[in-house]
Amino acid sequence: MRSKIDQLLAEIDSLTAVSREELEALRVRLMGKKGSITALFDDFKQVAAEEKREIGQLLNVLKTKAAEHINALRDVLEAKTETSASTDLSMPGHPAPSGARHPLSIVRNEIIDIFKHLGYTVAEGPEVEDDYHVFGALNFPPEHPARDMQDTFFVTTGDNPVLLRTHTSSVQVRSMETARPPIRIICPGRVFRNEAISARAHCIFHQVEGLYIDENVSFADLKQSVLYFAREMFGADVQIRLRPSYFPFTEPSAEVDVSCNICKGKGCNVCKYTGWLEIMGCGMVDPNVLEASGIDSKKYTGFAFGMGIERIAMLKWQVKDLRHYFENDVRFLSQFKTAL
Ligand code: PHE
């Protein structure tokens, strides 16, 4: 009897079951009515009185061990069934939420792309600039209102104060100082003006300005480049109109309108019933500006233009309130997912 108990005790740990059925068969084989452990308990009656205590203890150890082993095997089997139920390989995956490019980035990239086709390269410069690069070198007289505290955020005062650039023309100045013609650059970037925030104005906005300097660059070249841009941006049937204007750094200067792409020139509330939408300022670079940066104005001429990215984006998507571009409301931004 003792040897039978010892043999079973040694065997138990190596017993396995790969299914519920096998496990049940094992349990019956050991502890069922006719199981080997049950049989040992039956035989216990014949054990001699002086051995009863010892054999009884051994039998109880065997019974507990068998029960524990069977429970452990059951836990393993159940854990396995649970995982296989939750790994349904035919289930569709969790959707990975994709972001969207900011509408202003989309338009900026589009503008850059259009001018790249005309041979322009991108130039960048500091947002915190000095008075000379933002105004002085661009022929702004000292008393010009754009230099006023009302318009410009100053960082320091003094002879050549540090300020936040009010346009990216400062990048053009930096290029003219270092590069020699031909120069053909576009300057995208953030600019700052001290304006009350409303649906139509903000103290931060984005510009793309362009500059082309070479021998024999004429106003006709400017007009043709602007027309090419307008048609690429707003459609092949778009017309442009140049109105005389004034900028200290260009002479002559003009404001460019495109025919309203919403009403096709008939008149609507976006173009305020004029049939035209203003998109940029431009002009022939003033000889004073060329000379200030050491470029011979007798040999070289050039044109410059500048536009607000927000304005172009508003016209493209008819966004009525400028503030949407700065609030980062995902409900607004996610609408541009397909516009990449
Ligand atoms: N710098 C001008 C502005 O910020 C735009 C401009 C650029 C106009 C180049 C003419 C030529 O308003």
Side-chain angles (χ1 to χ4, degrees):
M1 172 121 191
R2 181 188 291 263
S3 63
K4 276 190 187 163
I5 294 174
D6 285 344
Q7 195 190 338
L8 271 174
L9 268 174
E11 254 176 47
I12 278 178
D13 277 340
S14 58
L15 296 173
T16 54
V18 291
S19 64
R20 281 162 190 271
E21 292 73 32
E22 268 189 46
L23 182 68
E24 180 57 13
L26 179 66
R27 192 192 64 77
V28 171
R29 193 150 53 98
L30 294 174
M31 302 165 67
K33 267 193 180 152
K34 294 184 180 148
S36 36
I37 296 178
T38 321
L40 286 173
F41 272 94
D42 288 343
D43 294 348
F44 184 64
K45 293 171 202 126
Q46 276 112 53
V47 170
E50 63 273 20
E51 278 186 331
K52 266 210 155 68
R53 190 181 143 86
E54 197 188 338
I55 301 282
Q57 275 174 355
L58 271 178
L59 268 179
N60 277 332
V61 169
L62 176 64
K63 193 182 161 192
T64 320
K65 192 167 176 190
E68 277 171 7
H69 187 68
I70 284 168
N71 281 342
L73 288 177
R74 181 174 298 124
D75 286 350
V76 172
L77 276 180
E78 271 166 16
K80 266 195 197 149
T81 0
E82 260 168 42
T83 13
S84 53
S86 61
T87 32
D88 175 359
L89 296 178
S90 66
M91 250 164 65
H94 296 293
S98 66
R101 220 177 267 287
H102 193 284
L104 295 181
S105 303
I106 297 171
V107 172
R108 182 201 53 210
N109 293 348
E110 217 171 306
I111 298 171
I112 291 175
D113 258 10
I114 294 171
F115 283 104
K116 268 189 184 162
H117 282 106
L118 294 176
Y120 287 75
T121 51
V122 173
E124 285 182 333
E127 292 179 348
V128 182
E129 259 293 5
D130 55 20
D131 184 283
Y132 176 77
H133 287 94
V134 175
F135 300 124
L138 287 163
N139 206 31
F140 279 80
E143 72 287 357
H144 194 282
R147 287 186 139 133
D148 201 291
M149 291 293 269
Q150 310 289 308
D151 260 287
T152 310
F153 288 110
F154 285 91
V155 179
T156 64
T157 52
D159 269 357
N160 182 24
V162 174
L163 43 84
L164 303 185
R165 67 181 180 195
T166 56
H167 52 186
T168 57
S169 306
S170 52
V171 183
Q172 306 182 351
V173 173
R174 287 189 177 273
S175 293
M176 285 189 284
E177 281 172 349
T178 49
R180 291 300 94 187
I183 297 174
R184 208 185 267 159
I185 50 162
I186 37 169
C187 316
R190 266 202 306 191
V191 299
F192 308 85
R193 288 183 199 177
N194 192 0
E195 301 209 29
I197 297 170
S198 71
R200 301 175 61 86
H202 209 289
C203 55
I204 303 176
F205 62 99
H206 300 76
Q207 280 190 326
V208 177
E209 295 215 354
L211 174 71
Y212 177 30
I213 301 173
D214 203 350
E215 289 176 40
N216 303 318
V217 175
S218 70
F219 200 89
D221 297 324
L222 166 61
K223 207 174 133 188
Q224 207 54 36
S225 306
V226 169
L227 180 64
Y228 173 77
F229 166 75
R231 295 202 160 155
E232 287 292 307
M233 192 75 209
F234 296 106
D237 53 351
V238 151
Q239 304 293 317
I240 60 164
R241 174 174 88 168
L242 273 69
R243 282 178 290 111
S245 184
Y246 172 78
F247 299 102
F249 36 91
T250 48
E251 180 59 36
S253 308
E255 218 102 44
V256 181
D257 296 342
V258 290
S259 52
C260 181
N261 56 345
I262 296 153
C263 63
K264 304 281 173 235
K266 283 193 209 78
C268 65
N269 62 356
V270 179
C271 64
K272 304 212 187 73
Y273 301 94
T274 62
W276 296 97
L277 301 160
E278 187 189 317
I279 56 159
M280 66 166 94
C282 63
M284 299 306 289
V285 181
D286 193 302
N288 288 344
V289 173
L290 296 175
E291 295 293 338
S293 296
I295 294 173
D296 183 356
S297 64
K298 304 229 167 35
K299 188 166 178 208
Y300 296 107
T301 49
F303 64 73
F305 55 86
M307 67 190 104
I309 301 181
E310 280 81 355
R311 169 102 186 130
I312 307 285
M314 277 175 118
L315 298 177
K316 192 176 158 77
W317 288 303
Q318 285 139 57
V319 177
K320 296 266 157 54
D321 192 326
L322 197 68
R323 288 168 289 196
H324 287 308
Y325 293 126
F326 299 94
E327 281 165 0
N328 283 335
D329 184 333
V330 211
R331 289 169 303 177
F332 172 72
L333 296 178
S334 60
Q335 294 177 70
F336 300 91
K337 265 191 189 150
T338 52
L340 294 173

